[in-house]
Amino acid sequence: MRLQRKSAVVTGGIGRGITAAFLREGASVLAVDRDEEALCTAESELDAGDALRTLQCDLAARSAAEEIRAAAAGHSGGIDVLVNNAHTSRQAPFVEHTREMFALSLGTDFYATARLTRSCYPHLRERRGSVIDFASGAGLDGQSHQASYAAAKEVVANEWAADGINVNLISPLAPTAGVDAWAKQRPEQYEQVVRKLPLGHMGGPETEIAPVAVFLASEDSAYMTGQTLLADGGTLVLR
Ligand SMILES: NC(=O)c1ccc[n+]([C@@H]2O[C@H](COP(=O)([O-])OP(=O)(O)OC[C@H]3O[C@@H](n4cnc5c(N)ncnc54)[C@H](O)[C@@H]3O)[C@@H](O)[C@H]2O)c1
């Protein structure tokens, strides 16, 4: 088990797959989401006893970061791994993007990630921990109608290397509720992405994306920081 005795905070959707994979590898997890029903389902399906705690809260609220930090510290005495995965955004052509749309996207990703990462810093420093953020191909090669979404991505705090904290990103492609909503709203864009997928399918959240997070949370990636790993079936190639 590669995450034995590690304590993780995991926010959001693909996070459900990550939570399952982390528990299997021996970690204890505080799973955070604003969707209480999803948390209850995770608790009953994963059936992990004390190893799993859930916390319902809205990451856009300023008080969320401290609430999560305190809950994680109360659950397992500290934090080794922080996974910032939750995000909400709306899609629209750039000229129709409103202030509220930018506020929603930046508030649930950029600012929420910044606040939570900062709150967890003392624990991460003490344990020489890892931060895993979620990037998107939209921030790397761009997609129309995704201005506020892309703007919230690609944020990484590299300056913590001196504290022994690794900060890396995963840019995934996985079938989730968020992707379903995008596919309904922009079917041509979705079809184009799926048609071009070199590996022919979107990645299983638990089977194909979460193992990358396990790697980044484990000692196996100790010599990596500031990196974006593309777990996207080969869609993007960076050279
Ligand atoms: N699925 C993909 O193919 C894909 C591609 C590129 C990037 N990503 C990134 O991966 C991450 C997860 O994506 P997903 O597809 O699972 O998204 P999703 O929309 O399916 O799930 C998002 C989850 O975050 C939670 N959440 C949203 N806003 C919240 C808030 N303010 N407070 C608390 N919880 C909140 C939602 O309740 C939901 O459970 C996101 O950061 C996304 O941008 C996903």
Side-chain angles (χ1 to χ4, degrees):
M1 289 207 260
R2 287 189 289 167
L3 304 182
Q4 195 93 52
R5 286 183 295 280
K6 285 195 192 280
S7 159
V9 173
V10 179
T11 73
I14 291 175
R16 165 73 188 285
I18 293 171
T19 296
F22 277 21
L23 289 167
R24 252 197 327 272
E25 293 289 341
S28 61
V29 178
L30 176 73
V32 180
D33 205 292
R34 68 175 168 206
D35 181 344
E36 192 157 25
E37 204 181 314
L39 290 173
C40 290
T41 308
E43 255 180 327
S44 69
E45 288 183 3
L46 296 173
D47 193 22
D50 282 347
L52 174 64
R53 286 282 157 78
T54 60
L55 178 68
Q56 190 271 330
C57 78
D58 181 353
L59 285 153
R62 284 185 166 273
S63 55
E66 182 48 28
E67 197 185 336
I68 294 165
R69 189 210 60 76
H75 178 214
S76 42
I79 301 166
D80 298 280
V81 185
L82 169 62
V83 181
N84 290 303
N85 177 258
H87 184 196
T88 304
S89 66
R90 303 268 174 271
Q91 300 197 15
F94 178 64
V95 289
E96 290 170 22
H97 255 73
T98 62
R99 193 184 176 87
E100 287 71 29
M101 285 175 179
F102 278 106
L104 177 71
S105 187
L106 294 171
T108 58
D109 190 312
F110 180 93
Y111 289 114
T113 294
R115 279 195 297 266
L116 185 54
T117 307
R118 197 163 48 199
S119 279
C120 294
Y121 174 59
H123 299 293
L124 293 164
R125 184 179 52 192
E126 188 187 314
R127 298 194 175 190
R128 302 181 73 78
S130 308
V131 180
I132 302 171
D133 293 336
F134 272 73
S136 169
L140 296 171
D141 77 342
Q143 284 280 7
S144 64
H145 296 73
Q146 298 189 353
S148 61
Y149 177 78
K153 298 296 189 188
E154 325 316 328
V155 179
V156 67
N158 213 350
E159 68 189 42
W160 290 353
D163 294 316
I165 301 172
N166 307 51
V167 184
N168 292 295
L169 292 93
I170 299 172
S171 181
L173 203 52
T176 60
V179 165
D180 283 351
W182 166 56
K184 283 198 187 92
Q185 203 185 345
R186 312 266 313 149
E188 330 73 44
Q189 200 176 56
Y190 171 80
E191 284 305 327
Q192 199 188 4
V193 168
V194 172
R195 249 198 328 272
K196 268 187 5 195
L197 258 169
L199 285 179
H201 68 281
M202 289 214 181
E206 187 174 341
T207 53
E208 292 173 309
I209 308 298
V212 182
V214 168
F215 167 66
L216 290 178
S218 75
E219 301 310 316
D220 293 342
S221 60
Y223 195 53
M224 290 175 63
T225 196
Q227 304 301 316
T228 299
L229 271 61
L230 308 180
D232 65 357
T235 299
L236 288 170
V237 179
L238 300 182
R239 297 194 192 282

